[in-house]
Amino acid sequence: MATSPIQFIIPDLLSTFPWPRRLSEHYLQVKSESAAWVDSYPLFNEELLRPVQHNDPALLAAHTTPREKDIVRLQSDLLIILLAMDEVSDEGGSELNTQIREIVMDAFRNPYNERPGGEHQLGEMTRDFWIRALDRLPPGAFSIPRFIDTFDAYANAIVTKAKDKVERRHRTFEEYLSIRRSTIGLLPCFIISESMLNIPDDVYNHSRMVALRELAMVLIIIANDLFSYAKEKARDEGSAVHNAVEIVMVEKDLDIQGAVKELERYIAGVMAEFLDNAANLPTWGEEMDGKTKAYVDGLAQWIRGNDCWSFETTRYFGKEGLEIQKTRVMKIPAGFSSESP
């Protein structure tokens, strides 16, 4: 007798979120330009190109950064670099990951130097992206060192992520969130979104501004883990050990639906904190208050846009995304236990 697939329900985490869906009018043009850019690098063979096409980074950029066309394009290309690094980290050992990190970070720190012949193509891709970004920013922009620092943290963290998957290491929920805030690569993306605001360090590093970034990342991380869990579990490649659903199942001895409900309760608290911090920022004067409002709107757009993109692309749900968005029913193929691992 055939075994039925495991089903669980994913909650609508943003049912009361006050920021609506927005899609940049530049989406299709950016998609075409980013695709041509990818095609110009031999790094992307057919196997590596497939996840880029399925993920549609231009769609995520258009949902989360619905601003000037060149900013949307930079965001799309950055997402491609992040995706390529993530794919390489999943396939390579610690030596390759360390090498890629050194190449990429050197390209960020020395963008006007020609890249050495024969090195990994991510070096030249990064250099090209960063030169275009620097051309868009005023000299001495606050976002320049912020971007380099946050990307360096991301590059370091994906080495840890790859090692965890190989070793099938289960971290605690708080340990996982600490690492995941770097491995998800959101901080560099946030900086591209807000780069033209040029918010000074004293405002950017205010406790409520820091909290808003941290909370936005957690909201996106948990959503991504809920959406990706069935796919990761079905692949059985160790990916699910780097997923909040699996971690909560282990930590609290729950089945899948129990872990999902636990995460739903957790996210409700995170959402309340985000809205409280957004509503209670201090005032820095009319001009700066306008910039901080735009900054908060940008973070909120990432939260909403990531949710929309998750169902509109094929990354998590194949061609069933819009249907699953309505029904909220997820399925894992037969052969996996719904009990905690």
Side-chain angles (χ1 to χ4, degrees), residues 284-296:
W284 288 280
E286 184 177 354
E287 180 182 359
M288 189 55 61
D289 289 354
K291 290 185 176 183
T292 57
K293 182 183 183 304
Y295 184 82
V296 173

Side-chain angles (χ1 to χ4, degrees), residues 10 311 317 320-330:
I10 53 174
F311 293 102
F317 310 117
E320 299 177 356
L322 295 179
E323 180 63 23
I324 292 172
Q325 189 177 31
K326 295 177 183 177
T327 66
R328 317 304 294 188
V329 177
M330 291 290 297

Side-chain angles (χ1 to χ4, degrees), residues 130-180:
W130 193 228
I131 287 175
R132 286 185 283 119
L134 292 174
D135 286 346
R136 186 71 171 79
L137 297 171
F142 291 104
S143 54
I144 295 173
R146 289 173 193 159
F147 183 93
I148 292 175
D149 288 347
T150 57
F151 202 100
D152 194 25
Y154 162 77
N156 277 315
I158 61 172
V159 177
T160 302
K161 172 188 172 183
K163 186 177 179 181
D164 281 1
K165 287 184 177 181
V166 170
E167 297 177 354
R168 291 180 175 268
R169 178 178 179 180
H170 287 271
R171 295 182 178 271
T172 68
F173 183 67
E174 292 302 325
E175 286 175 339
Y176 165 71
L177 283 183
S178 178
I179 293 171
R180 187 65 174 131

Side-chain angles (χ1 to χ4, degrees), residues 2-205:
T3 305
S4 299
I6 297 168
Q7 292 191 172
F8 61 100
I9 306 298
I10 53 174
D12 183 354
L13 301 175
L14 303 184
S15 60
T16 61
F17 195 58
W19 282 268
R21 176 187 185 273
R22 293 175 61 196
L23 182 68
S24 170
E25 62 182 339
H26 306 297
Y27 162 53
L28 292 179
Q29 184 178 359
V30 166
K31 182 174 183 177
S32 176
E33 291 179 4
S34 281
W37 184 66
V38 168
D39 288 342
S40 69
Y41 291 94
L43 163 70
F44 288 90
N45 56 34
E46 184 177 350
E47 184 176 350
L48 193 56
L49 185 61
R50 193 176 302 114
V52 174
Q53 293 170 331
H54 286 180
N55 292 343
D56 198 349
L59 180 62
L60 180 56
H63 266 309
T64 58
T65 315
R67 298 181 55 186
E68 299 91 339
K69 181 253 178 182
D70 54 347
I71 299 295
V72 181
R73 168 68 197 282
L74 285 172
Q75 191 73 272
S76 176
D77 291 353
L78 172 59
L79 290 166
I80 290 169
I81 292 172
L82 291 168
L83 175 62
M85 290 186 67
D86 194 56
E87 291 291 322
V88 170
S89 75
D90 283 347
E91 296 177 1
S94 59
E95 184 176 345
L96 176 60
N97 283 308
T98 300
Q99 180 186 33
I100 293 297
R101 175 192 170 276
E102 291 174 354
I103 289 170
V104 168
M105 293 315 303
D106 183 65
F108 276 127
R109 294 186 174 111
N110 302 286
Y112 299 107
N113 294 345
E114 295 292 329
R115 302 308 306 165
E119 78 167 10
H120 199 284
Q121 284 291 305
L122 269 167
E124 183 57 32
M125 286 184 74
T126 300
R127 187 175 88 97
D128 178 80
F129 159 80
W130 193 228
I131 287 175
R132 286 185 283 119
L134 292 174
D135 286 346
R136 186 71 171 79
L137 297 171
F142 291 104
S143 54
I144 295 173
R146 289 173 193 159
F147 183 93
I148 292 175
D149 288 347
T150 57
F151 202 100
D152 194 25
Y154 162 77
N156 277 315
I158 61 172
V159 177
T160 302
K161 172 188 172 183
K163 186 177 179 181
D164 281 1
K165 287 184 177 181
V166 170
E167 297 177 354
R168 291 180 175 268
R169 178 178 179 180
H170 287 271
R171 295 182 178 271
T172 68
F173 183 67
E174 292 302 325
E175 286 175 339
Y176 165 71
L177 283 183
S178 178
I179 293 171
R180 187 65 174 131
R181 281 191 284 266
S182 293
T183 63
I184 199 170
L186 281 170
L187 283 177
C189 295
F190 290 170
I191 290 169
I192 292 298
S193 294
E194 58 87 15
S195 57
M196 299 309 296
L197 297 174
N198 208 27
I199 295 174
D201 288 340
D202 62 324
V203 177
Y204 183 83
N205 293 322

Side-chain angles (χ1 to χ4, degrees), residues 187-290:
L187 283 177
C189 295
F190 290 170
I191 290 169
I192 292 298
S193 294
E194 58 87 15
S195 57
M196 299 309 296
L197 297 174
N198 208 27
I199 295 174
D201 288 340
D202 62 324
V203 177
Y204 183 83
N205 293 322
H206 186 276
S207 59
R208 286 196 181 272
M209 293 283 280
V210 173
L212 282 164
R213 286 193 292 277
E214 296 288 315
L215 295 164
M217 283 192 289
V218 172
L219 288 167
I220 293 169
I221 288 166
I222 301 301
N224 284 0
D225 284 1
L226 288 168
F227 299 153
S228 67
Y229 183 71
K231 177 182 177 181
E232 291 174 2
K233 197 67 175 175
R235 285 194 318 211
D236 193 30
E237 296 174 353
S239 298
V241 302
H242 200 69
N243 185 295
V245 177
E246 186 98 342
I247 290 168
V248 171
M249 287 174 69
V250 171
E251 200 167 285
K252 296 185 177 293
D253 192 25
L254 298 169
D255 63 9
I256 295 174
Q257 194 65 65
V260 169
K261 289 181 179 179
E262 185 72 18
L263 289 171
E264 184 178 10
R265 287 191 291 269
Y266 179 81
I267 281 297
V270 175
M271 181 71 74
E273 286 187 59
F274 182 89
L275 296 175
D276 177 72
N277 278 282
N280 291 288
L281 283 173
T283 182
W284 288 280
E286 184 177 354
E287 180 182 359
M288 189 55 61
D289 289 354

